[in-house]
Structures are given as C-alpha cells and as structure tokens.
Amino acid sequence: QKEVEQNSGPLSVPEGAIASLNCTYSDRGSQSFFWYRQYSGKSPELIMSIYSNGDKEDGRFTAQLNKASQYVSLLIRDSQPSDSATYLCAASGGGADGLTFGKGTHLIIQP
Amino acid sequence: DTEVTQTPKHLVMGMTNKKSLKCEQHMGHRAMYWYKQKAKKPPELMFVYSYEKLSINESVPSRFSPECPNSSLLNLHLHALQPEDSALYLCASSQDFRTARGEQYFGPGTRLTVT
C-alpha cells in the first residue's frame, strides 16, 4: 500500500519567516514528487515538482528530496499571509501513474 | 487561468438521477484523471485514461462510469448515487507519459451534492 505521511498541523508561522513543511513516503518505487497548494473550496494548484535527490528552488519555494530517507520537504521563504493554505505532498511512479496524496498540512501565516 | 475546465461547477442530484460531469483540457496532454475529494481529506484517484486505456481504482463503485470521447475530453457518468458520494470531483491531466515526469494539472472541480 502506497502511503504519504504529513503532519496535518495547523502550522503557524509569522509573516516574513520561513515555513518548513515535511512529508515521508512508503513506496521506494516512487519516482516523482509534488507539492500542491489548496485554498479552502478550491482545487489543488501545483507549486513544485522534484525528481532527483537534492534541492530545487523556484522563487520563494525550495523543494528538497532525500530518496534514501524517503523524505520530501518544502521551504517557503519570506512567508506572506497569502501563503496560508493547505499544502498537499504527493508521490507517483511517474508518467501516467495516479498521485498518492498525503493528508495535507494546514499552514497559517500570522501577519 | 486553468487550462483544464470542468462543468458544471455545482451539481445537486437525487439518488435516482443520471447526470454527467465534463472535463476538457487544452494543453495537448495524453493522460487524464478523475479524483474524488471529501471535505478535509486529500484527493483520491478514481480513474486514469492514458492513450485510450482505462485504469480503474478497484474501490470505486460501478455507479461511477468514465468515458473518454477523445484525448482532450473526459466525462464521468453518474447513476444511482448515494449521499456519501457528495464531494468535490476533480479532473486532472498530464503530458505524454512516455516523455514526462507526471506533473498533473487540476481543473476547478465540480461540487456534487447527492440528496
């Protein structure tokens, strides 16, 4: 059974600080890893994808992958109130494989 | 703006009704997906269509029936649903699976209420 684990939070971070979100996965065959942001009542929005060990940066977002530890993380620098949302970690075997999601972490950025 | 569109945005139906959800993607993707999301839960995969082949999550009941008229359209036919089927139904698409890493882009969803 493929599983993705996340701390559901809520995670409260002051505005301007770094928010750190973590996730672990059980299936060593997973090839692709994603972070989605979901606002209440809206659909998930892809914000980061990562496929190789190490860091990947895109603007204020940095994704980190450690396949040996089966661990994925997302750092959000200079957190803004608009970053307040649920962040979903997802894994897949790649290609047209379906996504397995974690339960999501509810992030609150305090002004 | 999302390039995956879904209609209708909201749907209320009785348990004896037959209805369909529609999804269209404008990105030339070759794989499309249906997910179901209950409140405060993550999306759960229902179906995958890739190169005209259907993959089914075996836990999905037969009252849900997908149809893929072409590579850019995906329908979900609903029949004899139960109140517990009330949820947000999400469509997603991804590029040619032979060359891409599987990034999936979601449509805005259809909020379904079964009475």
Side-chain angles (χ1 to χ4, degrees):
Chain A
Q1 178 105 7
K2 301 178 183 179
E3 291 185 345
V4 175
E5 300 286 342
Q6 289 181 259
N7 188 324
S8 60
L11 175 64
S12 186
V13 174
E15 183 176 357
I18 296 175
S20 178
L21 304 161
N22 307 310
C23 138
T24 59
Y25 61 95
S26 64
D27 181 10
R28 286 194 173 273
S30 297
Q31 301 287 327
S32 306
F33 304 89
F34 308 96
W35 285 98
Y36 287 84
R37 178 176 63 199
Q38 187 171 28
Y39 294 112
S40 180
K42 302 295 186 181
S43 64
E45 174 192 8
L46 179 65
I47 54 171
M48 289 292 286
S49 57
I50 188 165
Y51 311 106
S52 304
N53 281 326
D55 295 358
K56 178 181 177 183
E57 185 175 325
D58 184 0
R60 295 187 297 113
F61 299 99
T62 298
Q64 299 173 317
L65 174 60
N66 183 326
K67 289 187 177 180
S69 300
Q70 296 177 245
Y71 176 87
V72 191
S73 67
L74 178 71
L75 300 177
I76 306 174
R77 289 181 298 282
D78 189 23
S79 297
Q80 302 297 310
S82 59
D83 295 326
S84 298
T86 295
Y87 288 79
L88 296 162
C89 176
S92 86
D97 198 17
L99 296 174
T100 299
F101 286 91
K103 293 182 178 180
T105 298
H106 183 204
L107 176 65
I108 299 170
I109 306 301
Q110 294 180 323
Chain B
D1 288 344
T2 180
E3 294 189 69
V4 180
T5 58
Q6 291 187 244
T7 56
K9 290 184 179 180
H10 301 276
L11 177 63
V12 179
M13 61 184 289
M15 290 188 285
T16 59
N17 292 157
K18 288 185 181 181
K19 297 286 185 182
S20 296
L21 309 183
K22 298 185 183 299
C23 175
E24 184 171 13
Q25 56 92 5
H26 310 277
M27 295 178 281
H29 289 175
R30 298 305 300 267
M32 296 183 74
Y33 312 78
W34 280 114
Y35 289 83
K36 173 183 176 180
Q37 187 175 24
K38 302 279 282 183
K40 300 192 183 301
K41 299 289 187 182
E44 294 181 351
L45 182 67
M46 301 176 72
F47 304 102
V48 181
Y49 257 106
S50 180
Y51 283 90
E52 301 178 359
K53 288 182 63 176
L54 171 65
S55 298
I56 301 172
N57 180 337
E58 293 182 358
S59 68
V60 176
S62 59
R63 55 187 182 265
F64 295 92
S65 175
E67 177 200 15
C68 193
N70 59 56
S71 61
S72 61
L73 291 172
L74 185 65
N75 299 323
L76 185 62
H77 301 300
L78 314 173
H79 172 57
L81 294 193
Q82 302 297 310
E84 61 264 28
D85 296 321
S86 298
L88 180 66
Y89 287 83
L90 295 161
C91 175
S93 70
S94 65
Q95 286 181 325
D96 183 337
F97 72 91
R98 292 172 298 187
T99 58
R101 302 291 193 102
E103 292 182 343
Q104 294 185 20
Y105 298 89
F106 285 85
T110 293
R111 177 75 60 188
L112 174 67
T113 303
V114 181
T115 60

